[in-house]
Structure formats: structure tokens, C-alpha cells
């Protein structure tokens, strides 16, 4: 009864709507495996070494505005950028109404890159940006993609865009993460009371 309406963005991947994110590369390939549903940890540990050393899976290329990233092992496109307070940048999104996609690309070329990534330190292995459109291409006609956790195979190149304010949502007025504004001081009333 004390709700407010807000408008939030939606992501679009190859004409399909997504709410949270779309993943390409290592994670997307892992979730495609039939064994993943039965034993996520074992499947990830079995497949990850070949994916990170590029012995398995398609070679990716990411185009954001006039910047091209060649060869990342993993790419995450999110509906609005994730925060940067943890290793994968998947902590939280402060807002879902900024009208941009978040892009996170991981390229591990050496043991030092992997160590920096695990330690969470600033590393050249992790590239972040925000944009209205990103295109992910590969050296294969179809690309495994995880869209909001669903395993898909999409024809390349895969175009991701945003639909700002596309979804109307009713949320509680007093909800976690929303700071209450103090009422403006009524100096005239204060003088009368004094």
C-alpha cells in the first residue's frame, strides 16, 4: 500500500530481453555442458583449464564503441554496470536505470595475470566499461551464451543493447538501499513555534 513506481532498464541480446546479464566465453561454455546441472563444481574444474588456455571454445572479440578487445576468455554484459567491490564485479548494481550496459572482459595471458585476478588487485587481465551497445564476435558461426542463467547458442556476431526505462516496477517506498530524504526545514513554522 506504500509502494512507488520506478522504471528500470532491460537489456537486449540478439533481439531477446534479459534482466540481469549475458555471459560469453568460459562460463557460457561450462553451463552448456550437460554435466553442469548435476555437478557444477566438478564440471567447472574439469573444463576451466582448457577454456582459460584457449584449447577449447571459440576465440572471442568484443567491440565497444571504437574499442576492440581481442581474445578475452570471458565476457559479461550486464543490464547496468555491477559494482567494483569484488573480484568479478558482481557485488551489486546501485541502479538499474542508468541506460547503459556494463561490460566486463577477462583476458588471462600468464600466471601473473591469473594471480592478480585472484588477489583482486588492479590488473590488465580485467577490463571494464559501460556503454549503450556491445558486439561480441567469435571465430565460430554460433556462440554459447548464458542469458540470465539459461544456456543458449546464438549466431555470431551477437549484438547487445539496452532499453532504458522499459519496465515499470512497483517497489516499497522504504526499501533497503534507499536513503530517506530529510524534510525541508520550514523556518516560518519554527519561528512561530519558538
Amino acid at each position: 500500500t506504500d509502494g512507488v513506481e520506478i522504471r528500470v532498464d532491460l537489456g537486449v541480446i540478439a533481439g531477446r530481453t534479459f534482466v540481469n546479464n549475458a555471459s560469453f566465453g568460459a562460463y557460457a561454455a561450462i553451463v552448456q555442458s550437460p554435466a553442469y546441472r548435476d555437478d557444477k563444481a566438478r564440471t567447472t574444474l574439469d573444463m576451466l583449464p582448457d577454456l582459460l588456455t584457449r584449447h577449447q571454445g571459440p576465440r572471442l572479440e568484443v567491440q565497444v564503441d571504437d574499442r576492440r578487445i581481442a581474445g578475452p576468455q570471458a565476457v559479461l554484459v550486464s543490464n547496468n554496470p555491477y559494482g567494483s567491490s569484488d573480484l568479478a564485479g558482481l557485488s551489486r548494481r546501485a541502479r538499474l536505470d542508468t541506460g547503459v550496459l556494463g561490460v566486463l572482459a577477462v583476458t588471462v595471458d600468464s600466471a601473473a595475470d591469473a594471480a592478480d585476478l585472484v588477489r583482486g588487485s588492479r590488473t590488465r587481465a580485467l577490463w571494464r566499461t559501460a556503454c549503450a551497445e556491445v558486439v561480441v564476435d567469435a571465430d565460430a558461426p554460433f556462440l554459447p551464451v548464458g542469458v540470465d542463467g539459461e544456456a543458449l547458442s546464438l549466431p555470431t556476431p551477437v549484438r547487445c543493447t539496452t532499453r532504458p526505462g522499459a519496465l515499470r516496477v512497483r517497489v516499497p517506498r522504504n526499501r533497503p538501499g534507499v536513503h530517506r530524504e530529510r524534510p525541508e526545514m520550514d523556518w516560518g513554522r519554527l519561528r512561530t513555534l519558538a
Side-chain angles (χ1 to χ4, degrees):
T1 60
D2 189 30
V4 293
E5 182 179 289
I6 61 171
R7 293 186 81 80
V8 298
D9 306 337
L10 291 174
V12 178
I13 179 169
R16 176 190 179 111
T17 300
F18 68 94
V19 176
N20 290 314
N21 57 52
S23 59
F24 302 83
Y27 177 71
I30 290 168
V31 298
Q32 296 283 330
S33 170
Y36 180 75
R37 298 289 173 234
D38 294 331
D39 192 350
K40 293 177 181 166
R42 168 65 54 204
T43 305
T44 300
L45 290 173
D46 287 347
M47 294 180 70
L48 202 54
D50 283 340
L51 291 166
L52 290 178
T53 56
R54 297 186 180 98
H55 291 134
Q56 186 181 10
R59 183 168 173 79
L60 301 176
E61 188 172 274
V62 180
Q63 178 76 41
V64 174
D65 299 324
D66 59 349
R67 177 107 193 248
R68 198 171 206 81
I69 308 298
Q73 286 99 332
V75 176
L76 182 79
V77 177
S78 58
N79 176 18
N80 288 264
Y82 281 104
S84 58
S85 62
D86 66 2
L87 168 67
L90 302 179
S91 54
R92 292 168 59 137
R93 288 165 288 179
R95 302 190 58 169
L96 288 174
D97 61 354
T98 62
V100 295
L101 299 169
V103 180
L104 176 73
V106 177
T107 307
V108 178
D109 290 324
S110 67
D113 287 345
D116 283 348
L117 200 56
V118 169
R119 283 194 300 260
S121 59
R122 292 188 61 83
T123 175
R124 65 182 185 91
L126 187 62
W127 181 78
R128 295 176 191 269
T129 194
C131 61
E133 178 180 270
V134 60
V135 177
V136 180
D137 206 350
D139 60 356
F142 287 88
L143 190 56
V145 183
V147 179
D148 284 345
E150 181 182 354
L152 301 174
S153 182
L154 297 174
T156 56
V158 179
R159 181 175 177 249
C160 301
T161 58
T162 184
R163 291 181 51 210
L167 184 62
R168 294 174 31 199
V169 182
R170 190 156 179 87
V171 296
R173 182 178 314 278
N174 299 317
R175 59 193 181 278
V178 175
H179 299 287
R180 291 187 190 186
E181 290 185 28
R182 292 183 177 177
E184 198 172 303
M185 181 61 79
D186 184 345
W187 293 104
R189 184 159 188 248
L190 182 62
R191 242 185 326 271
T192 303
L193 288 173

